[in-house]
Amino acid sequence: MKIVISDLDHVDHEIETQTLHAAGFQFEKLDCKTEDDLIQQLKGVSVVINQYAPFTRRVFEALPDLRAVVRYGVGVNHIDLQAAADAGVHVSNVPDYGMNEVSDHAVALALALVRKLVPMNNDTHAGGWDYQHAIPIRRTSCMVAGVIGLGRIGRLYAQKMHAMGYRVIGADPAMRETGGLEFVEMVTLDDVVTQSDIIALFCPLNDETRHIIDAAAIARMKSGACVVNTARGGLIDETALAAALNSGALGGAGIDVCATEPLQQASPLRGIANCILTPHMAWYSEEAGDELKRKVAEEAIRFMRGEALHWDLSAALRRCLA
């Protein structure tokens, strides 16, 4: 059985190398970008550690020796889970790394928007010295922080916003258990959209959540509301968001992820003063980066040894369909 890294944009892969070699496994790092790259270069490969290269039904059907795909990160929207399940391929991700980093980044974006830090920094550097240029700014205890998606990261964000005095409301149709959420008032999705001063997104991207924030949702938001997205870019209709920011209907947006990455030069979000853009970095800290690398390698090792994967998404899908 053979392990490869299909693609990786990190500076190095030393931790993966050390972890796999210590367990007695060799591997090869490739630079696959497309379906054709995967089909041509993964012949005979059993286990793939993958970052962005698209694992579609065509890819799975063309690679009969493939047994497992381990994803760098949480989201797997570029991997066809149904096709993987049909092909008997196990798909795993790493949903329990960098949780504090992402929630911290979302909090930082929210506070920067509310306190108007970016425009006031720019104004002061340009020679200004007038807090009235930031008016209005509201007290946190008088504001509502809305959360869409209350998984691991959404819960951490909600807890941190609650600790700073915000009233926190949340919606997550996928939730079965609400234990441990004493600091969140569970409401409907429409309540989050219409009542929140800040709306933060922490849900996966799928057919149900794509453009969950669209022109219609934005039209129902409070005047001056802010939107924060550190989850997946496709959750927001970026054209509608840009129009609302430019018109003044929304007070600001903090965007770490976009529908097409890197952010296109022609993106309507570029150049908007009250739109903070960061380059898909919410997950990152030195420690989170090391943790991710170690965990993907350990997950590949588990599979090679015949042990159960910690996060077997395709197996879970097969159980749901059984």
Side-chain angles (χ1 to χ4, degrees), residues 2-305:
K2 184 178 179 182
I3 303 173
V4 304
I5 295 177
S6 63
D7 59 300
L8 181 65
D9 66 1
H10 298 175
V11 174
D12 63 62
H13 52 280
E14 292 182 8
I15 292 175
E16 298 92 315
T17 301
Q18 293 168 4
T19 305
L20 289 164
H21 285 182
F25 295 105
Q26 300 298 314
F27 76 100
E28 181 181 1
K29 180 183 176 295
L30 305 175
D31 187 26
C32 299
K33 296 285 195 299
T34 66
E35 294 179 30
D36 288 339
D37 290 342
L38 293 171
I39 291 169
Q40 292 165 11
Q41 298 182 48
L42 299 186
K43 300 292 186 185
V45 171
S46 305
V47 179
V48 177
I49 301 175
N50 161 261
Q51 189 177 24
Y52 300 125
F55 277 85
T56 63
R57 182 170 294 277
R58 174 173 171 249
V59 171
F60 286 118
E61 290 177 348
L63 298 173
D65 295 320
L66 185 60
R67 292 292 175 265
V69 178
V70 181
R71 167 92 215 292
Y72 279 102
V74 181
V76 291
N77 45 293
H78 67 289
I79 301 174
D80 188 332
L81 292 181
Q82 183 61 64
D86 293 344
V89 177
H90 297 265
V91 177
S92 176
N93 62 346
V94 188
D96 61 341
Y97 92 102
M99 297 182 294
N100 271 300
E101 284 79 359
V102 178
S103 57
D104 286 349
H105 197 85
V107 169
L109 289 172
L111 294 183
L113 291 167
V114 169
R115 296 298 306 175
K116 302 183 180 174
L117 298 186
V118 172
M120 292 313 298
N121 171 73
N122 295 341
D123 185 69
T124 304
H125 273 292
W129 189 262
D130 191 348
Y131 78 91
Q132 294 186 68
H133 292 174
I135 290 173
I137 294 177
R138 296 180 57 209
R139 181 175 291 175
T140 58
S141 60
C142 298
M143 300 178 72
V144 177
V147 185
I148 300 176
L150 285 156
R152 298 173 184 84
I153 298 171
R155 290 181 182 218
L156 281 171
Y157 170 85
Q159 187 174 20
K160 291 168 183 177
M161 295 295 278
H162 169 76
M164 289 187 291
Y166 288 92
R167 175 190 167 212
V168 181
I169 62 176
D172 190 335
M175 282 187 63
R176 299 293 180 265
E177 301 285 340
T178 58
L181 286 174
E182 294 80 8
F183 46 84
V184 180
E185 178 186 341
M186 298 303 296
V187 297
T188 68
L189 176 61
D190 192 64
D191 287 336
V192 172
V193 168
T194 60
Q195 296 180 23
S196 301
D197 296 290
I198 310 164
I199 299 174
L201 303 171
F202 299 99
C203 43
L205 178 63
N206 53 43
D207 291 341
E208 288 71 39
T209 61
R210 187 175 301 278
H211 285 188
I212 195 169
I213 301 299
D214 58 9
I218 291 171
R220 300 197 306 277
M221 292 180 188
K222 286 183 176 179
S223 176
C226 296
V227 177
V228 170
N229 188 11
T230 56
R232 284 292 178 268
L235 298 172
I236 297 178
D237 180 336
E238 294 172 1
T239 300
L241 176 63
L245 292 170
N246 284 319
S247 72
L250 292 184
I255 303 297
D256 184 60
V257 288
C258 49
T260 301
E261 296 184 356
L263 183 68
Q264 301 298 292
Q265 287 299 318
S267 169
L269 296 177
R270 287 191 183 274
I272 300 177
N274 56 342
C275 183
I276 302 174
L277 299 172
T278 56
H280 202 146
M281 60 174 287
W283 64 276
Y284 180 73
S285 69
E286 291 293 310
E287 294 79 7
D290 291 351
E291 180 185 13
L292 174 63
K293 290 171 169 292
R294 175 177 54 80
K295 285 186 171 181
V296 293
E298 290 173 345
E299 193 79 326
I301 291 167
R302 271 189 285 274
F303 188 85
M304 295 290 278
R305 289 174 171 171

Side-chain angles (χ1 to χ4, degrees), residues 81 85 89-91 311-322:
L81 292 181
V89 177
H90 297 265
V91 177
W311 311 103
D312 196 331
L313 300 177
S314 48
L317 178 60
R318 283 192 291 270
R319 287 194 297 272
C320 291
L321 297 175

